[in-house]
Amino acid sequence: MSVEAIAASVEEGQLLWQPSRAFADAAQITHYLEWLGRTHGLSFADYDGLWRWSVSDRDAFWRSIWDYFDVRSDGGIEEVVSPGPMEGARWFAGTRVNYAEHLLRHEAVAAPGETALCHSTEIRPVAQMSWQELGGKVRILATRLRAMGVVPGDRIVSYMPNVPETVIAMMATVAIGATWSSAAPEFGVKTVVERFGQIAPRIVFAADGYTFGGRPFDRRGEIVAILSELPSVEAVVWLPYLGLPVPETERPLFPFEDMLAGPAVSREEFAYARVAPDHPLWVLFSSGTTGLPKAIVHGHQGMVAEHLKVMTLHCNLGPGKRMFFYTTTGWMMWNAVVSALITGASAVLYDGSPVQGGIDMLWRMAADTRTTLFGASPTLVQSMRKAGVRPGELYDLSALDSVLVGGAPSTPETFQWFYENVRDDLWVTSQSGGTEVCTGLVTGLPTLPVHAAEIQCRCLGIDVHAWDEDGREVIDEVGELVVTGPMPSAPLFFWGDKDGERYHESYYATYPGIWRHGDLAKFTARGGAYIYGRSDSTLNRFGVRIGTAEIYGVAEKVPGVLDSLVICCEVPGGGFYMPMFVALEPGRLLDDALKAELAARLREDASPRHVPDEIHQAPAIPYTLTGKKMELPIRRLVMGHPVEKVVSRDAMADPALLDWYLDFASRDDVAARRTQGA
C-alpha cells in the first residue's frame, strides 16, 4: 500500500496511494459487490459503473441497501421513492423504522465488554463504555422519559458537551420517537434561543459547564437565561459536569444520575417506537450567521439507509473499527460520529481543546483509544504541519488505517503531510457534504487510489454533478455543485416553514427542480472531485470565477502565514475590490517582503487573477461556531451593509473578533475602494 517516494513538493492530483490487494479484498464495498453478484447477478467493470447504476436504477439500488443491511421495519417497502419532482420526494413508503434501534443493533451480538464508546475530555481520562452498558442506560433513560409523559413527536434538546451522557440522551430520545436537537455548551444565549425557540422543546438536557484550553466555563447563568426564553420547557435533566451547585430554576430539575437509577430494562422487554417516513428524527441547524438558522428536519428511514451506506461502504466501518472526528455537539459531524455505531463500529468522543497538552494531543488520544479512522479539519492539520508535528514517530498508531479530512477544502500538502508524518500506508480521504443532508455528497472509497487533495468519488445513490451557469454539466472545469435526483437524506422540511418557501429558496430556486448545494466543485474525468468553497462567496475577477480555496491553498503554504480569508466586492462601473486578510505566526509582521512573497506565490502557483488588491494582517480569521470561514458576512460588512443585517456575534467562534473587521470596514480608504474599486 505504501508509496515508495513522495515528492517534497506535491501537486494537486498527484498519485499518493494505491490500496493493496488484501486491503481492497477486505473492504466493505467489496463484500457488498460480491453480494450483488450472488443475489442479483450484477457486476460492474469499475466504481463508475456501480455509481451510474446506483443513480439510474434508484429503486433497485436503495432496495439493495435495505436488504443487504437487513433494515428492521414494521411493514415492507411499498414504494422506494415517490414519483415526480425531486423536491418533496418521499422515501420508503409502507415502512416504520427507528434510528436508535439500528444504532444499538450490534449490542445483541457484541461480546461481553466489547467497546461501543471510547471517550475522554480535558477533565475525564480516556475510558470505555461497552455495548451492554450503553444499551442498558439508553433503555433505562428512555423508559424514564416515557414515564414523564414524553410521546412521539415531542422535542427534547441538549446543551451539553461531547460526552457519553449526550449520546445516551440522544439515543433514548430517538428510541421513543421524540425529536432530538443539540447545541454545544459554548453557544451563547441568543444563539441557543434562536435555535430551540423555533421547535418549542418539552425537555432540556443541560450540563453546568464545560472546559476548553484548561479553563472551566460555568454555563449556569446561560442555562437560566435560556430557560426564561423557552416557555415550552417542562423539565430539565441536569448533568453536574463541573460539579457546580445547582442553580435556582422554576422548572423541575432531575439529576442525570437519578434518571439512570431505575431498574434495568432488557432488550426483549423494551419497545422501540418505529415511526413512519415523515416522522422527524432530529433537527439540525445551519450556522445562522446572517439570519435565523434554518431548522433542518431529517427522518428515521432516510438516515438509517444513508448512514448504513456511507459509514459502511464509503468509510469502511464495521465491528472492530473505531471512528474519531474532532467535533462539538453543535455540528452535524457529531451525529456522524455517533452514526458509526450503526455499522457495529465504536465511536470515539473527545471534548475540549484539540491542542490541550500539546498540538499533538489528538494523536496521543488516537493511540490510547486504538482509533482506526481519524478525522479532523484541514485547518487543524495545517497547524500541526506548520508546528512540525510527527505523530508517527511519537505514538503507536498501528491500529490506524484511514484518515478523513472534512469541514473545508483540503490542499495537496495536507494529504502529503499524513503520508510523511503519520504513516505511509494510510488511506487518506477528503469528503464533503453538509448539515442539510447530514452525510457526504462526494466521498471516499477504500478500493480506489488516493490523489493529492482529490475527493475520490461521488457517493453511491447521489446523482451529483458540476454545472455551469446555463445548467450544463462540466468536467475538469469548476461549476456549481448540484444534485439532480432525489436522495433519502434530504430534509423532510424546515421546522416552521409551513409553505416550504424557505426550503425551496435555499436549494431549488437557481435551477428549477434541481438541488443547488451552494459549493463550487470540479469533477475530473476519472471521477474524482475538488471542492473550492462556497459559491455565494465566489471571487469574480475580470469575468473569471475563482474559488476561495484556490487562494487559501497557496497563501497558507507561505512561511509565517497561519490562516487567511479573501473576499471580492463588486463596485460601480463593473469593477472589483479584492482584499485578503492573513493571520500570522506570533511575532511575525506583514511587511512589504511578505506581501511581495504572497503576491508572487499566488501569481506563479495560481494566476495573476488570484493576486488580491490588498493584503492586511488581521489578529485572526473569523469562523462560525461550526468551523466555517465567514467569507460572506465579512464581504457584506466591507461592502457597507449594516452589521446587524450581516452577522450575529453569537454565531461566531470568537465574537470579539468582529470589532476588528468592523473597524476595517469603516475606514475611509476602504469606503473609497468599495465605491471606486482598487
Side-chain angles (χ1 to χ4, degrees), residues 536-548:
D536 55 11
S537 57
T538 301
L539 311 175
N540 190 334
R541 295 270 281 176
F542 312 108
V544 176
R545 297 202 307 171
I546 299 171
T548 54

PDB file of all heavy atoms in Angstrom, residues 536-548:
ATOM      1  N   ASP A 536     -21.524  31.198  -3.031  1.00  0.00           N
ATOM      2  CA  ASP A 536     -22.030  32.540  -2.729  1.00  0.00           C
ATOM      3  C   ASP A 536     -20.915  33.470  -2.273  1.00  0.00           C
ATOM      4  O   ASP A 536     -21.141  34.658  -2.068  1.00  0.00           O
ATOM      5  CB  ASP A 536     -23.167  32.502  -1.711  1.00  0.00           C
ATOM      6  CG  ASP A 536     -22.793  31.779  -0.418  1.00  0.00           C
ATOM      7  OD1 ASP A 536     -21.599  31.485  -0.222  1.00  0.00           O
ATOM      8  OD2 ASP A 536     -23.696  31.496   0.378  1.00  0.00           O
ATOM      9  N   SER A 537     -19.708  32.953  -2.097  1.00  0.00           N
ATOM     10  CA  SER A 537     -18.554  33.806  -1.798  1.00  0.00           C
ATOM     11  C   SER A 537     -17.512  33.703  -2.906  1.00  0.00           C
ATOM     12  O   SER A 537     -16.333  33.965  -2.699  1.00  0.00           O
ATOM     13  CB  SER A 537     -17.940  33.427  -0.451  1.00  0.00           C
ATOM     14  OG  SER A 537     -17.568  32.069  -0.424  1.00  0.00           O
ATOM     15  N   THR A 538     -17.964  33.318  -4.103  1.00  0.00           N
ATOM     16  CA  THR A 538     -17.075  33.200  -5.253  1.00  0.00           C
ATOM     17  C   THR A 538     -16.422  34.543  -5.568  1.00  0.00           C
ATOM     18  O   THR A 538     -17.050  35.590  -5.496  1.00  0.00           O
ATOM     19  CB  THR A 538     -17.870  32.723  -6.489  1.00  0.00           C
ATOM     20  OG1 THR A 538     -18.465  31.476  -6.189  1.00  0.00           O
ATOM     21  CG2 THR A 538     -16.959  32.571  -7.689  1.00  0.00           C
ATOM     22  N   LEU A 539     -15.143  34.484  -5.934  1.00  0.00           N
ATOM     23  CA  LEU A 539     -14.426  35.670  -6.356  1.00  0.00           C
ATOM     24  C   LEU A 539     -14.585  35.808  -7.865  1.00  0.00           C
ATOM     25  O   LEU A 539     -14.245  34.886  -8.617  1.00  0.00           O
ATOM     26  CB  LEU A 539     -12.943  35.550  -5.991  1.00  0.00           C
ATOM     27  CG  LEU A 539     -12.661  35.124  -4.552  1.00  0.00           C
ATOM     28  CD1 LEU A 539     -11.169  34.908  -4.350  1.00  0.00           C
ATOM     29  CD2 LEU A 539     -13.182  36.148  -3.567  1.00  0.00           C
ATOM     30  N   ASN A 540     -15.122  36.916  -8.301  1.00  0.00           N
ATOM     31  CA  ASN A 540     -15.330  37.142  -9.728  1.00  0.00           C
ATOM     32  C   ASN A 540     -14.374  38.231 -10.180  1.00  0.00           C
ATOM     33  O   ASN A 540     -14.609  39.416  -9.964  1.00  0.00           O
ATOM     34  CB  ASN A 540     -16.784  37.552  -9.989  1.00  0.00           C
ATOM     35  CG  ASN A 540     -17.113  37.568 -11.467  1.00  0.00           C
ATOM     36  OD1 ASN A 540     -16.241  37.752 -12.309  1.00  0.00           O
ATOM     37  ND2 ASN A 540     -18.381  37.375 -11.775  1.00  0.00           N
ATOM     38  N   ARG A 541     -13.302  37.822 -10.810  1.00  0.00           N
ATOM     39  CA  ARG A 541     -12.273  38.779 -11.237  1.00  0.00           C
ATOM     40  C   ARG A 541     -12.204  38.815 -12.756  1.00  0.00           C
ATOM     41  O   ARG A 541     -11.819  37.827 -13.386  1.00  0.00           O
ATOM     42  CB  ARG A 541     -10.925  38.371 -10.663  1.00  0.00           C
ATOM     43  CG  ARG A 541     -10.855  38.435  -9.148  1.00  0.00           C
ATOM     44  CD  ARG A 541     -10.395  39.792  -8.696  1.00  0.00           C
ATOM     45  NE  ARG A 541      -8.941  39.880  -8.833  1.00  0.00           N
ATOM     46  CZ  ARG A 541      -8.253  40.993  -8.592  1.00  0.00           C
ATOM     47  NH1 ARG A 541      -8.878  42.088  -8.234  1.00  0.00           N
ATOM     48  NH2 ARG A 541      -6.948  41.018  -8.730  1.00  0.00           N
ATOM     49  N   PHE A 542     -12.594  39.940 -13.332  1.00  0.00           N
ATOM     50  CA  PHE A 542     -12.496  40.125 -14.779  1.00  0.00           C
ATOM     51  C   PHE A 542     -13.242  39.034 -15.534  1.00  0.00           C
ATOM     52  O   PHE A 542     -12.780  38.528 -16.559  1.00  0.00           O
ATOM     53  CB  PHE A 542     -11.030  40.178 -15.214  1.00  0.00           C
ATOM     54  CG  PHE A 542     -10.187  41.091 -14.372  1.00  0.00           C
ATOM     55  CD1 PHE A 542      -9.250  40.583 -13.488  1.00  0.00           C
ATOM     56  CD2 PHE A 542     -10.370  42.472 -14.432  1.00  0.00           C
ATOM     57  CE1 PHE A 542      -8.485  41.418 -12.702  1.00  0.00           C
ATOM     58  CE2 PHE A 542      -9.598  43.313 -13.643  1.00  0.00           C
ATOM     59  CZ  PHE A 542      -8.660  42.791 -12.767  1.00  0.00           C
ATOM     60  N   GLY A 543     -14.415  38.655 -14.991  1.00  0.00           N
ATOM     61  CA  GLY A 543     -15.249  37.669 -15.656  1.00  0.00           C
ATOM     62  C   GLY A 543     -14.870  36.232 -15.390  1.00  0.00           C
ATOM     63  O   GLY A 543     -15.509  35.323 -15.922  1.00  0.00           O
ATOM     64  N   VAL A 544     -13.852  35.997 -14.556  1.00  0.00           N
ATOM     65  CA  VAL A 544     -13.421  34.635 -14.233  1.00  0.00           C
ATOM     66  C   VAL A 544     -13.782  34.326 -12.788  1.00  0.00           C
ATOM     67  O   VAL A 544     -13.441  35.086 -11.880  1.00  0.00           O
ATOM     68  CB  VAL A 544     -11.899  34.469 -14.445  1.00  0.00           C
ATOM     69  CG1 VAL A 544     -11.449  33.075 -14.021  1.00  0.00           C
ATOM     70  CG2 VAL A 544     -11.549  34.728 -15.902  1.00  0.00           C
ATOM     71  N   ARG A 545     -14.474  33.211 -12.576  1.00  0.00           N
ATOM     72  CA  ARG A 545     -14.861  32.820 -11.217  1.00  0.00           C
ATOM     73  C   ARG A 545     -13.713  32.053 -10.567  1.00  0.00           C
ATOM     74  O   ARG A 545     -13.154  31.115 -11.134  1.00  0.00           O
ATOM     75  CB  ARG A 545     -16.122  31.969 -11.232  1.00  0.00           C
ATOM     76  CG  ARG A 545     -17.326  32.719 -11.780  1.00  0.00           C
ATOM     77  CD  ARG A 545     -18.629  32.131 -11.321  1.00  0.00           C
ATOM     78  NE  ARG A 545     -18.754  30.717 -11.576  1.00  0.00           N
ATOM     79  CZ  ARG A 545     -19.739  29.960 -11.102  1.00  0.00           C
ATOM     80  NH1 ARG A 545     -20.665  30.505 -10.334  1.00  0.00           N
ATOM     81  NH2 ARG A 545     -19.814  28.685 -11.389  1.00  0.00           N
ATOM     82  N   ILE A 546     -13.386  32.453  -9.345  1.00  0.00           N
ATOM     83  CA  ILE A 546     -12.289  31.836  -8.606  1.00  0.00           C
ATOM     84  C   ILE A 546     -12.831  31.327  -7.279  1.00  0.00           C
ATOM     85  O   ILE A 546     -13.497  32.069  -6.547  1.00  0.00           O
ATOM     86  CB  ILE A 546     -11.153  32.848  -8.340  1.00  0.00           C
ATOM     87  CG1 ILE A 546     -10.583  33.374  -9.656  1.00  0.00           C
ATOM     88  CG2 ILE A 546     -10.058  32.218  -7.494  1.00  0.00           C
ATOM     89  CD1 ILE A 546      -9.613  34.532  -9.471  1.00  0.00           C
ATOM     90  N   GLY A 547     -12.554  30.093  -6.959  1.00  0.00           N
ATOM     91  CA  GLY A 547     -12.917  29.558  -5.651  1.00  0.00           C
ATOM     92  C   GLY A 547     -11.925  30.027  -4.601  1.00  0.00           C
ATOM     93  O   GLY A 547     -10.712  30.048  -4.828  1.00  0.00           O
ATOM     94  N   THR A 548     -12.441  30.432  -3.442  1.00  0.00           N
ATOM     95  CA  THR A 548     -11.544  30.947  -2.400  1.00  0.00           C
ATOM     96  C   THR A 548     -10.510  29.921  -1.965  1.00  0.00           C
ATOM     97  O   THR A 548      -9.389  30.276  -1.584  1.00  0.00           O
ATOM     98  CB  THR A 548     -12.354  31.403  -1.182  1.00  0.00           C
ATOM     99  OG1 THR A 548     -13.210  30.326  -0.754  1.00  0.00           O
ATOM    100  CG2 THR A 548     -13.219  32.609  -1.518  1.00  0.00           C
TER     101      THR A 548
END
